[in-house]
Amino acid sequence: MKKKNVKWRFLLILVALMLSFVYLLPNLPLSIPESFKKILPESGINLGLDLQGGIYLIYEVEGQKAAELTASRLANTLRKLLDKDSIKNTVTVKGTSIELSGEVTKIKDALVKNYANLDLAIEEEKITASLQEREIKWIKDNAVEQALETIRNRVDQFGVAEPMITRRGENEIIVQLPGVKDPKRAIELIGKTAVLEFKLVDDESTVSAEYPNAVTAADEKQFLEKYTKEDKLPKGDIILFERRTARETGEVFKKPYLLKSETILSGDFISEARVAIDSRDNQPYVSIKLDTEGAKLFEEITANNVKKRLAIILDGNVYSAPVIQERIAGGTAQISGTFTMDEAKDLSIVLRAGSLPAPIKIEQNVTVGPSLGRDSIEAGKRAGIAAFLLVVVFMALYYKLSGVIADAAMLLNILFLLGAMAALNATLTMPGIAGVILTMGMAVDTNVLMFERIREELRSGKTPRAAVDAGYDKAFFTIVDSHVTTLITSAVLFQFGTGPIKGFAVTLSIGIAINLFTSLIGTKAVFDYMMNAKREVKKLSI
Amino acid sequence: MIELLKNTQINFMGKKNIALLLSAIVSIIGIIGIVQIARGSANLGIDFAGGTVVQLKFNKNVDLSQVRKALENDGIRNFELQDMPTIQKVSITIKQEEDTQYSDKVINALRAGLKDTDITVDSVSTIGPKVGKQLRIDAMWAIIAATVGILIYVTWRFQFRFSIGATVATFHDVLAVLAVFYVFGREMNLILVTALLTIAGYSLTDTVVVFDRIRENLRKNIREPVEDVINRSINEVLSRTIITSLTTFLSAAALFFFGGEVIHDFALAMLIGIIIGTYSSIFVASPVVLLWRGDRPLVKR
């Protein structure tokens, strides 16, 4: 009989083996000389968030709020414009629309002249000016882009090794922070809107003298109901609170402030923010420096309001309200409160990185602590070894030498699978490990189908060599069919799954594809090689 | 040669009525399960229902009643506790909670309530109601897409009545595993859907093995009654369908026993699914082929 050439097949397997090894080098606990490292692939297999610990967050950017904010800013500008031209007006904001009443005709003329891009609905007594749909859409879209940029800045300054921050769909942002040590702190840092405002305290009004010094959370609603009634709240004023936590009990109190609603200075002018320590009481505070324009504004404000109180407000909470003693030049200010060092540090980060254009809401949060990740890896290893031993022993017992060949092919299968994952820089997740382990069982299936077929051919009286050939030929389509159906479902899983499940789909599909190679080329080559022996093989160990 | 089963002569098709009845019942329970999932009254995991799961690790064994008391003292209601005493872990599930920062409240409550215990946060998962709804829809589409994909492939490779048999068997397997999870009140979550899809793909391996042989034998013996050919074919490939399932079963068993809590339910579903998949290729897929009497002959000539 003609000998079959098996050389190229063994060579192919050898090359694949070497490639797998090279790609896996970064994942092996070996010390590699630096000069070598340069020519080697860089990363290898990455561990998923579920294995190395970390956070996976999906945020929704509330773009509608950004649009509403734009409308309310525009309302302020309109009011000023109309006041300047002494046109009588009342301006109220409703969502993304502004209602104007007063001298309607004059208001209309002013609007048409200055704001061509507003949709106007003119009635007898009032005009409703709305932001155009296109404009709102742009604002929303822009809000997501800006939020993305701001979050990126914050995370960079917080210091995370390999953060991934991406936009998804119309209004979602996905933040992945592998290996973060303090998840809670990171989430707080990202989620802060960080709008810094300076407002004057209304000390002229007499109602604020009635305010209690502190309101408990339970009484807050009642307090607000009482003091936001028309006769109790001076026109153009708002009430905001300062949060105070009692040291001993941990109870939260709120100190109310009556403020002029106009924001006289905002965080947009900040050029620098850093943590400093107050030498008197060793308390950390955040020192901010304003840019040239902001410094000029600040000097003007302080000069005009000496002896008045200036409230510093972050995200609607009053932090402090010091009395302006004198004109302040140079544009530095400090935000003090009862901060811990970390809190002060995070506050300085958000002030430097800028505020979010709109509030963001957590839609999904998956946080995995490092210990669970380690436990999972350990469990994965144990399950892997157990599965390997079970399958190997079973195959060797049932199919003898042929079983051992199948076992070797399965081992190659796993090596190639890991090598391919390293080459693709794929991410290994816990379900991914499950995929690898299931692949062990499925990998030998291919050989089982062939061996059974070969046994059948042997029983019908064929020589070992003819039986092997016939077995492979006849089992071929069965094997391909069964692989393709599994590939179809893994493709669907890949399409629909999130992180960890995608990892499963990746390992399973690569594993299945490689399996075709190792069994149809690998094991077959070994059998052909055995059949090539000088003496005709009389008996097959199967 | 060690052989699992030698020259069996089992009349599988003779038992098709009992088998089909049994499968129909199980499938109906599975369908009830799906309806209940859609109505939200099954034991849905937070990935579908929305809510928060906090898993905590303690430095010593903690009594569940202490945990319960600590949570209730802080006004936390409607939680489910799951104890993993051997590894000193407790997981706290609060379903349908819309506040996505609720986990902080839970952790703080326990830190305050169990003062002399060291608590490490193992994991926190929070799913907002919107994401939960989206995931439910995605999961449904995934199952439909996978089924259609398989149907198309099988129709291309086999004659129509075979593809009907394979598709019915695939549906049956998915429904049956779902039925088992539903009846035992286990949680329906994304990991289960992943397992179901994997089972759908894998259970076809067995079906294809059986079908290939039926097709081959039908070509060889055109005059023999179809029922006999199917019976003989199943008997011929019986040991290999069982062995291919067995090797994968061994892997899944290793995952089940050693793979840790994250993958536990997945492995369980796989174990059940592999058994049902093997059963269905013999007792569901093949009888359907037999019963689907079209006008055309069974084999393309």
Side-chain angles (χ1 to χ4, degrees), chain A residues 60 362-367 369 371-372 375 379 397-398 430 437 441 445 452-453 455-456 478 481 484 489 492 501 504, chain B residues 2 4 89 100 122-126 128 130-131 142 153 157 194 198 202 212-213 216 240 243-244 247 251 258-259 261:
Chain A
E60 186 193 325
I362 296 179
E363 269 294 321
Q364 183 174 352
N365 163 14
V366 180
T367 303
S371 69
L372 179 63
D375 291 353
L397 284 180
Y398 197 83
M430 189 59 205
I437 292 172
D445 281 4
E452 287 293 326
R453 199 78 210 210
R455 281 178 167 194
E456 218 175 312
T478 313
D481 284 344
V484 170
T489 48
V492 171
I501 289 168
F504 171 75
Chain B
I2 307 173
L4 194 64
K89 288 180 182 180
T100 45
D122 233 4
S123 69
V124 174
S125 309
T126 300
K130 227 162 94 187
V131 174
Y153 181 76
R157 291 282 300 140
T194 309
T198 314
Y202 184 72
D212 268 347
R213 180 53 59 100
E216 195 183 322
R240 84 193 60 172
I243 291 169
T244 49
T247 55
S251 303
F258 304 106
E261 72 256 29

Short mmCIF file of all heavy atoms in Angstrom, two decimals, chain A residues 60 362-367 369 371-372 375 379 397-398 430 437 441 445 452-453 455-456 478 481 484 489 492 501 504, chain B residues 2 4 89 100 122-126 128 130-131 142 153 157 194 198 202 212-213 216 240 243-244 247 251 258-259 261:
data_model
loop_
_atom_site.label_atom_id
_atom_site.label_comp_id
_atom_site.label_asym_id
_atom_site.label_seq_id
_atom_site.Cartn_x
_atom_site.Cartn_y
_atom_site.Cartn_z
N GLU A 60 -26.93 56.46 32.21
CA GLU A 60 -27.78 57.15 31.26
C GLU A 60 -27.58 58.63 31.47
O GLU A 60 -27.64 59.12 32.59
CB GLU A 60 -29.25 56.77 31.50
CG GLU A 60 -30.16 57.33 30.45
CD GLU A 60 -31.63 57.23 30.84
OE1 GLU A 60 -32.01 56.26 31.50
OE2 GLU A 60 -32.36 58.16 30.49
N ILE A 362 -27.16 55.88 37.12
CA ILE A 362 -26.66 54.51 36.95
C ILE A 362 -27.79 53.62 36.46
O ILE A 362 -28.85 53.57 37.05
CB ILE A 362 -26.12 53.93 38.26
CG1 ILE A 362 -24.90 54.73 38.73
CG2 ILE A 362 -25.74 52.46 38.09
CD1 ILE A 362 -24.31 54.24 40.02
N GLU A 363 -27.58 52.94 35.34
CA GLU A 363 -28.57 52.01 34.82
C GLU A 363 -28.19 50.58 35.20
O GLU A 363 -29.04 49.73 35.39
CB GLU A 363 -28.63 52.12 33.29
CG GLU A 363 -29.63 53.12 32.79
CD GLU A 363 -31.04 52.70 33.10
OE1 GLU A 363 -31.34 51.50 33.00
OE2 GLU A 363 -31.84 53.58 33.47
N GLN A 364 -26.90 50.34 35.25
CA GLN A 364 -26.43 49.00 35.61
C GLN A 364 -25.08 49.13 36.29
O GLN A 364 -24.24 49.92 35.87
CB GLN A 364 -26.32 48.13 34.37
CG GLN A 364 -25.92 46.71 34.69
CD GLN A 364 -25.95 45.81 33.47
OE1 GLN A 364 -26.40 46.19 32.41
NE2 GLN A 364 -25.43 44.62 33.62
N ASN A 365 -24.90 48.37 37.33
CA ASN A 365 -23.63 48.41 38.05
C ASN A 365 -23.26 46.99 38.44
O ASN A 365 -24.00 46.31 39.13
CB ASN A 365 -23.79 49.28 39.30
CG ASN A 365 -22.69 49.07 40.32
OD1 ASN A 365 -21.65 48.47 40.03
ND2 ASN A 365 -22.89 49.54 41.53
N VAL A 366 -22.15 46.53 37.94
CA VAL A 366 -21.64 45.23 38.36
C VAL A 366 -20.28 45.45 38.99
O VAL A 366 -19.36 45.88 38.30
CB VAL A 366 -21.53 44.23 37.19
CG1 VAL A 366 -20.99 42.91 37.69
CG2 VAL A 366 -22.87 44.05 36.52
N THR A 367 -20.21 45.23 40.27
CA THR A 367 -18.94 45.42 40.97
C THR A 367 -18.48 44.07 41.49
O THR A 367 -19.24 43.37 42.13
CB THR A 367 -19.12 46.38 42.15
OG1 THR A 367 -19.64 47.61 41.68
CG2 THR A 367 -17.79 46.64 42.85
N GLY A 369 -15.51 42.33 43.72
CA GLY A 369 -14.37 42.54 44.59
C GLY A 369 -13.22 41.64 44.18
O GLY A 369 -13.44 40.59 43.59
N SER A 371 -11.43 39.68 45.85
CA SER A 371 -11.38 38.35 46.48
C SER A 371 -12.28 37.36 45.72
O SER A 371 -11.93 36.20 45.54
CB SER A 371 -11.77 38.43 47.95
OG SER A 371 -13.14 38.74 48.08
N LEU A 372 -13.45 37.85 45.26
CA LEU A 372 -14.33 36.96 44.51
C LEU A 372 -13.65 36.55 43.20
O LEU A 372 -13.71 35.40 42.78
CB LEU A 372 -15.66 37.64 44.20
CG LEU A 372 -16.65 36.79 43.40
CD1 LEU A 372 -17.06 35.56 44.17
CD2 LEU A 372 -17.88 37.57 43.00
N ASP A 375 -11.19 33.90 44.00
CA ASP A 375 -11.92 32.64 44.28
C ASP A 375 -12.36 31.98 42.98
O ASP A 375 -12.26 30.77 42.81
CB ASP A 375 -13.16 32.91 45.14
CG ASP A 375 -12.79 33.32 46.56
OD1 ASP A 375 -11.58 33.26 46.88
OD2 ASP A 375 -13.69 33.70 47.32
N ALA A 379 -11.43 28.36 41.61
CA ALA A 379 -12.47 27.37 41.33
C ALA A 379 -12.36 26.91 39.87
O ALA A 379 -12.51 25.72 39.58
CB ALA A 379 -13.85 27.98 41.59
N LEU A 397 -9.35 4.55 29.17
CA LEU A 397 -9.89 3.25 29.55
C LEU A 397 -10.75 2.67 28.43
O LEU A 397 -10.64 1.49 28.10
CB LEU A 397 -10.75 3.38 30.83
CG LEU A 397 -9.98 3.54 32.14
CD1 LEU A 397 -10.97 3.67 33.30
CD2 LEU A 397 -9.04 2.35 32.37
N TYR A 398 -11.55 3.51 27.83
CA TYR A 398 -12.54 3.00 26.89
C TYR A 398 -11.95 2.73 25.51
O TYR A 398 -12.28 1.75 24.87
CB TYR A 398 -13.71 4.00 26.79
CG TYR A 398 -14.96 3.42 26.18
CD1 TYR A 398 -15.85 2.70 26.96
CD2 TYR A 398 -15.23 3.59 24.83
CE1 TYR A 398 -17.00 2.16 26.41
CE2 TYR A 398 -16.37 3.04 24.27
CZ TYR A 398 -17.26 2.32 25.06
OH TYR A 398 -18.38 1.80 24.52
N MET A 430 -15.26 34.34 33.69
CA MET A 430 -15.63 33.09 34.36
C MET A 430 -16.46 32.20 33.43
O MET A 430 -16.14 31.02 33.28
CB MET A 430 -16.36 33.38 35.67
CG MET A 430 -16.56 32.14 36.53
SD MET A 430 -14.98 31.35 36.94
CE MET A 430 -15.51 29.66 37.22
N ILE A 437 -13.67 24.63 29.66
CA ILE A 437 -13.86 23.31 30.29
C ILE A 437 -14.86 22.46 29.50
O ILE A 437 -14.63 21.26 29.28
CB ILE A 437 -14.29 23.50 31.76
CG1 ILE A 437 -13.11 24.11 32.54
CG2 ILE A 437 -14.72 22.18 32.39
CD1 ILE A 437 -13.41 24.53 33.93
N GLY A 441 -14.73 18.45 27.03
CA GLY A 441 -15.67 17.34 26.82
C GLY A 441 -16.10 17.24 25.37
O GLY A 441 -16.22 16.15 24.81
N ASP A 445 -15.49 14.44 21.69
CA ASP A 445 -16.68 13.94 20.98
C ASP A 445 -16.35 13.58 19.53
O ASP A 445 -16.75 12.54 19.02
CB ASP A 445 -17.79 14.99 20.95
CG ASP A 445 -18.53 15.04 22.27
OD1 ASP A 445 -18.11 14.32 23.19
OD2 ASP A 445 -19.50 15.80 22.37
N GLU A 452 -15.93 5.21 16.97
CA GLU A 452 -17.07 4.31 16.88
C GLU A 452 -17.24 3.84 15.44
O GLU A 452 -17.54 2.68 15.17
CB GLU A 452 -18.33 5.01 17.38
CG GLU A 452 -18.38 5.21 18.89
CD GLU A 452 -18.49 3.89 19.65
OE1 GLU A 452 -19.15 2.96 19.14
OE2 GLU A 452 -17.91 3.79 20.75
N ARG A 453 -17.06 4.76 14.53
CA ARG A 453 -17.20 4.41 13.11
C ARG A 453 -16.11 3.41 12.70
O ARG A 453 -16.36 2.45 11.99
CB ARG A 453 -17.08 5.70 12.29
CG ARG A 453 -17.63 5.61 10.90
CD ARG A 453 -19.13 5.70 10.93
NE ARG A 453 -19.69 4.94 9.83
CZ ARG A 453 -20.84 5.24 9.23
NH1 ARG A 453 -21.55 6.27 9.64
NH2 ARG A 453 -21.30 4.51 8.24
N ARG A 455 -14.54 1.34 14.67
CA ARG A 455 -14.87 0.05 15.27
C ARG A 455 -15.88 -0.71 14.40
O ARG A 455 -15.75 -1.90 14.17
CB ARG A 455 -15.48 0.25 16.66
CG ARG A 455 -14.47 0.53 17.74
CD ARG A 455 -15.20 0.75 19.03
NE ARG A 455 -14.30 0.73 20.17
CZ ARG A 455 -14.72 0.64 21.42
NH1 ARG A 455 -16.01 0.56 21.68
NH2 ARG A 455 -13.87 0.63 22.42
N GLU A 456 -16.87 0.03 13.93
CA GLU A 456 -17.90 -0.57 13.10
C GLU A 456 -17.31 -1.18 11.84
O GLU A 456 -17.63 -2.30 11.44
CB GLU A 456 -18.89 0.53 12.73
CG GLU A 456 -20.32 0.10 12.71
CD GLU A 456 -21.21 1.30 12.46
OE1 GLU A 456 -21.03 2.35 13.12
OE2 GLU A 456 -22.06 1.20 11.57
N THR A 478 -21.00 14.16 9.72
CA THR A 478 -21.65 14.19 11.03
C THR A 478 -20.94 15.18 11.94
O THR A 478 -21.56 15.98 12.65
CB THR A 478 -21.58 12.79 11.69
OG1 THR A 478 -21.97 11.83 10.73
CG2 THR A 478 -22.47 12.71 12.90
N ASP A 481 -21.52 18.84 10.79
CA ASP A 481 -22.88 19.27 11.13
C ASP A 481 -23.01 19.62 12.61
O ASP A 481 -23.57 20.64 12.98
CB ASP A 481 -23.89 18.17 10.81
CG ASP A 481 -24.16 18.10 9.31
OD1 ASP A 481 -23.81 19.07 8.62
OD2 ASP A 481 -24.72 17.09 8.86
N VAL A 484 -21.23 22.91 13.39
CA VAL A 484 -21.84 24.13 12.87
C VAL A 484 -23.01 24.60 13.75
O VAL A 484 -23.14 25.78 14.05
CB VAL A 484 -22.30 23.94 11.41
CG1 VAL A 484 -23.14 25.11 10.95
CG2 VAL A 484 -21.09 23.79 10.51
N THR A 489 -25.22 28.82 17.63
CA THR A 489 -25.68 29.35 18.92
C THR A 489 -24.61 30.22 19.58
O THR A 489 -24.94 31.21 20.23
CB THR A 489 -26.13 28.25 19.89
OG1 THR A 489 -25.13 27.25 19.93
CG2 THR A 489 -27.44 27.66 19.46
N VAL A 492 -24.88 33.64 18.11
CA VAL A 492 -26.01 34.38 18.67
C VAL A 492 -25.65 34.90 20.07
O VAL A 492 -25.90 36.06 20.41
CB VAL A 492 -27.26 33.49 18.74
CG1 VAL A 492 -28.36 34.18 19.53
CG2 VAL A 492 -27.75 33.17 17.35
N ILE A 501 -20.63 36.91 29.20
CA ILE A 501 -21.24 35.92 28.32
C ILE A 501 -20.60 35.96 26.94
O ILE A 501 -20.40 34.92 26.31
CB ILE A 501 -22.77 36.15 28.27
CG1 ILE A 501 -23.33 35.71 29.62
CG2 ILE A 501 -23.42 35.37 27.14
CD1 ILE A 501 -24.74 36.10 29.87
N PHE A 504 -17.76 33.77 27.05
CA PHE A 504 -18.13 32.36 26.91
C PHE A 504 -18.28 32.02 25.43
O PHE A 504 -17.74 31.02 24.94
CB PHE A 504 -19.44 32.11 27.64
CG PHE A 504 -20.04 30.75 27.40
CD1 PHE A 504 -19.49 29.64 28.01
CD2 PHE A 504 -21.12 30.59 26.57
CE1 PHE A 504 -20.03 28.39 27.79
CE2 PHE A 504 -21.68 29.36 26.34
CZ PHE A 504 -21.12 28.24 26.96
N ILE B 2 -13.72 -2.40 24.78
CA ILE B 2 -14.76 -2.26 25.80
C ILE B 2 -15.96 -1.63 25.12
O ILE B 2 -15.83 -0.63 24.43
CB ILE B 2 -14.33 -1.34 26.94
CG1 ILE B 2 -12.98 -1.78 27.52
CG2 ILE B 2 -15.39 -1.30 28.03
CD1 ILE B 2 -12.43 -0.82 28.53
N LEU B 4 -19.92 -0.22 25.65
CA LEU B 4 -20.93 0.16 26.61
C LEU B 4 -22.18 -0.69 26.39
O LEU B 4 -22.72 -1.31 27.30
CB LEU B 4 -21.26 1.64 26.41
CG LEU B 4 -22.05 2.33 27.49
CD1 LEU B 4 -21.25 2.36 28.78
CD2 LEU B 4 -22.40 3.73 27.05
N LYS B 89 -20.18 33.28 53.27
CA LYS B 89 -20.71 34.34 52.43
C LYS B 89 -22.22 34.38 52.55
O LYS B 89 -22.86 33.37 52.78
CB LYS B 89 -20.35 34.09 50.96
CG LYS B 89 -18.88 34.31 50.66
CD LYS B 89 -18.59 34.06 49.21
CE LYS B 89 -17.11 34.25 48.94
NZ LYS B 89 -16.75 34.03 47.55
N THR B 100 -30.70 52.80 42.13
CA THR B 100 -29.51 52.05 41.75
C THR B 100 -28.35 52.26 42.71
O THR B 100 -27.27 51.74 42.50
CB THR B 100 -29.08 52.39 40.32
OG1 THR B 100 -29.13 53.80 40.15
CG2 THR B 100 -29.98 51.72 39.30
N ASP B 122 -17.96 41.28 48.33
CA ASP B 122 -17.53 40.35 47.29
C ASP B 122 -17.97 40.84 45.92
O ASP B 122 -17.20 40.88 44.98
CB ASP B 122 -18.16 38.98 47.56
CG ASP B 122 -17.12 37.90 47.60
OD1 ASP B 122 -15.93 38.22 47.49
OD2 ASP B 122 -17.50 36.72 47.74
N SER B 123 -19.24 41.18 45.83
CA SER B 123 -19.73 41.69 44.57
C SER B 123 -21.02 42.46 44.77
O SER B 123 -21.76 42.20 45.72
CB SER B 123 -19.95 40.56 43.57
OG SER B 123 -21.04 39.78 43.97
N VAL B 124 -21.25 43.39 43.89
CA VAL B 124 -22.50 44.14 43.88
C VAL B 124 -22.99 44.15 42.44
O VAL B 124 -22.22 44.41 41.54
CB VAL B 124 -22.29 45.60 44.34
CG1 VAL B 124 -23.58 46.40 44.18
CG2 VAL B 124 -21.81 45.67 45.77
N SER B 125 -24.25 43.79 42.23
CA SER B 125 -24.82 43.94 40.89
C SER B 125 -26.10 44.71 41.02
O SER B 125 -26.96 44.35 41.81
CB SER B 125 -25.16 42.61 40.24
OG SER B 125 -24.07 41.77 40.29
N THR B 126 -26.21 45.74 40.24
CA THR B 126 -27.43 46.52 40.24
C THR B 126 -27.91 46.68 38.82
O THR B 126 -27.12 46.99 37.94
CB THR B 126 -27.17 47.91 40.84
OG1 THR B 126 -26.71 47.75 42.16
CG2 THR B 126 -28.43 48.74 40.85
N GLY B 128 -30.92 48.50 36.61
CA GLY B 128 -32.06 49.41 36.59
C GLY B 128 -33.22 48.76 35.85
O GLY B 128 -33.01 47.84 35.07
N LYS B 130 -34.96 49.68 33.40
CA LYS B 130 -34.92 49.80 31.96
C LYS B 130 -34.02 48.73 31.34
O LYS B 130 -34.37 48.08 30.36
CB LYS B 130 -34.39 51.19 31.58
CG LYS B 130 -35.24 51.85 30.53
CD LYS B 130 -34.99 53.33 30.49
CE LYS B 130 -33.97 53.72 29.47
NZ LYS B 130 -33.65 55.16 29.58
N VAL B 131 -32.84 48.56 31.96
CA VAL B 131 -31.91 47.55 31.48
C VAL B 131 -32.53 46.17 31.61
O VAL B 131 -32.43 45.33 30.71
CB VAL B 131 -30.57 47.62 32.24
CG1 VAL B 131 -29.65 46.48 31.84
CG2 VAL B 131 -29.90 48.95 32.01
N ALA B 142 -32.62 36.44 21.28
CA ALA B 142 -31.48 35.53 21.13
C ALA B 142 -31.99 34.11 20.92
O ALA B 142 -31.49 33.38 20.05
CB ALA B 142 -30.59 35.61 22.36
N TYR B 153 -30.06 26.00 8.97
CA TYR B 153 -28.94 25.11 8.67
C TYR B 153 -29.41 23.67 8.48
O TYR B 153 -29.04 23.00 7.51
CB TYR B 153 -27.89 25.17 9.78
CG TYR B 153 -26.70 24.28 9.49
CD1 TYR B 153 -25.74 24.67 8.56
CD2 TYR B 153 -26.56 23.04 10.10
CE1 TYR B 153 -24.67 23.86 8.25
CE2 TYR B 153 -25.49 22.22 9.80
CZ TYR B 153 -24.55 22.63 8.88
OH TYR B 153 -23.49 21.83 8.56
N ARG B 157 -29.23 21.18 5.23
CA ARG B 157 -28.45 19.94 5.24
C ARG B 157 -29.34 18.69 5.14
O ARG B 157 -28.90 17.67 4.65
CB ARG B 157 -27.61 19.85 6.51
CG ARG B 157 -26.48 20.84 6.57
CD ARG B 157 -25.30 20.42 5.73
NE ARG B 157 -24.78 19.15 6.16
CZ ARG B 157 -24.36 18.20 5.33
NH1 ARG B 157 -24.42 18.39 4.04
NH2 ARG B 157 -23.88 17.08 5.81
N THR B 194 -27.97 31.69 28.75
CA THR B 194 -26.73 31.27 28.09
C THR B 194 -26.65 29.75 28.04
O THR B 194 -26.34 29.17 27.00
CB THR B 194 -25.52 31.81 28.87
OG1 THR B 194 -25.70 33.20 29.06
CG2 THR B 194 -24.23 31.54 28.13
N THR B 198 -26.63 27.25 24.77
CA THR B 198 -25.56 26.27 24.58
C THR B 198 -26.15 24.88 24.42
O THR B 198 -25.72 24.09 23.57
CB THR B 198 -24.60 26.30 25.79
OG1 THR B 198 -24.30 27.64 26.09
CG2 THR B 198 -23.32 25.54 25.48
N TYR B 202 -25.79 22.27 21.46
CA TYR B 202 -25.14 21.00 21.71
C TYR B 202 -26.07 19.81 21.51
O TYR B 202 -25.65 18.76 21.01
CB TYR B 202 -24.55 20.97 23.13
CG TYR B 202 -23.78 19.71 23.37
CD1 TYR B 202 -22.55 19.51 22.74
CD2 TYR B 202 -24.28 18.70 24.17
CE1 TYR B 202 -21.85 18.34 22.91
CE2 TYR B 202 -23.58 17.52 24.35
CZ TYR B 202 -22.37 17.35 23.72
OH TYR B 202 -21.67 16.19 23.87
N ASP B 212 -28.05 11.25 10.80
CA ASP B 212 -27.11 10.85 9.75
C ASP B 212 -27.24 9.35 9.47
O ASP B 212 -27.24 8.90 8.34
CB ASP B 212 -25.68 11.17 10.15
CG ASP B 212 -25.27 12.55 9.64
OD1 ASP B 212 -26.00 13.08 8.79
OD2 ASP B 212 -24.25 13.07 10.11
N ARG B 213 -27.34 8.61 10.58
CA ARG B 213 -27.43 7.17 10.42
C ARG B 213 -28.77 6.76 9.81
O ARG B 213 -28.82 5.88 8.93
CB ARG B 213 -27.21 6.50 11.80
CG ARG B 213 -27.27 4.98 11.76
CD ARG B 213 -26.33 4.39 10.72
NE ARG B 213 -24.95 4.73 10.94
CZ ARG B 213 -24.07 3.93 11.51
NH1 ARG B 213 -24.42 2.75 11.92
NH2 ARG B 213 -22.82 4.32 11.65
N GLU B 216 -28.61 7.45 6.14
CA GLU B 216 -27.73 6.50 5.47
C GLU B 216 -28.43 5.15 5.28
O GLU B 216 -28.41 4.57 4.20
CB GLU B 216 -26.48 6.33 6.34
CG GLU B 216 -25.31 5.67 5.67
CD GLU B 216 -24.17 5.50 6.66
OE1 GLU B 216 -23.96 6.42 7.49
OE2 GLU B 216 -23.52 4.45 6.63
N ARG B 240 -22.64 5.46 20.84
CA ARG B 240 -21.86 6.68 20.60
C ARG B 240 -22.61 7.95 21.02
O ARG B 240 -21.99 8.87 21.53
CB ARG B 240 -21.35 6.75 19.16
CG ARG B 240 -22.28 7.28 18.13
CD ARG B 240 -21.74 6.99 16.75
NE ARG B 240 -21.59 5.54 16.56
CZ ARG B 240 -21.29 4.97 15.40
NH1 ARG B 240 -21.09 5.72 14.34
NH2 ARG B 240 -21.19 3.67 15.30
N ILE B 243 -21.95 8.07 24.66
CA ILE B 243 -20.57 8.40 25.04
C ILE B 243 -20.24 9.86 24.75
O ILE B 243 -19.62 10.53 25.58
CB ILE B 243 -19.57 7.45 24.36
CG1 ILE B 243 -19.72 6.05 24.96
CG2 ILE B 243 -18.13 7.93 24.57
CD1 ILE B 243 -18.98 4.99 24.21
N THR B 244 -20.65 10.36 23.58
CA THR B 244 -20.37 11.78 23.32
C THR B 244 -21.02 12.65 24.40
O THR B 244 -20.42 13.62 24.87
CB THR B 244 -20.90 12.25 21.95
OG1 THR B 244 -22.24 11.83 21.81
CG2 THR B 244 -20.08 11.69 20.82
N THR B 247 -18.94 12.37 27.82
CA THR B 247 -17.70 13.15 28.00
C THR B 247 -18.01 14.61 28.33
O THR B 247 -17.38 15.20 29.20
CB THR B 247 -16.82 13.07 26.74
OG1 THR B 247 -17.58 13.50 25.62
CG2 THR B 247 -16.31 11.68 26.51
N SER B 251 -17.35 16.93 31.92
CA SER B 251 -16.83 18.30 32.03
C SER B 251 -17.80 19.17 32.82
O SER B 251 -17.39 19.94 33.71
CB SER B 251 -16.65 18.93 30.66
OG SER B 251 -15.81 18.18 29.87
N PHE B 258 -16.81 21.79 41.20
CA PHE B 258 -15.63 22.56 41.59
C PHE B 258 -15.62 24.00 41.08
O PHE B 258 -14.76 24.78 41.44
CB PHE B 258 -14.36 21.87 41.08
CG PHE B 258 -14.22 20.45 41.55
CD1 PHE B 258 -14.44 19.38 40.68
CD2 PHE B 258 -13.85 20.18 42.86
CE1 PHE B 258 -14.32 18.07 41.12
CE2 PHE B 258 -13.72 18.87 43.30
CZ PHE B 258 -13.96 17.81 42.43
N GLY B 259 -16.57 24.33 40.21
CA GLY B 259 -16.48 25.62 39.51
C GLY B 259 -16.86 26.86 40.29
O GLY B 259 -16.79 27.96 39.77
N GLU B 261 -19.40 29.35 42.95
CA GLU B 261 -20.81 29.76 42.98
C GLU B 261 -21.24 30.52 41.73
O GLU B 261 -22.40 30.49 41.35
CB GLU B 261 -21.07 30.59 44.24
CG GLU B 261 -20.48 31.99 44.22
CD GLU B 261 -19.23 32.13 45.08
OE1 GLU B 261 -18.50 31.13 45.25
OE2 GLU B 261 -18.97 33.25 45.56
#
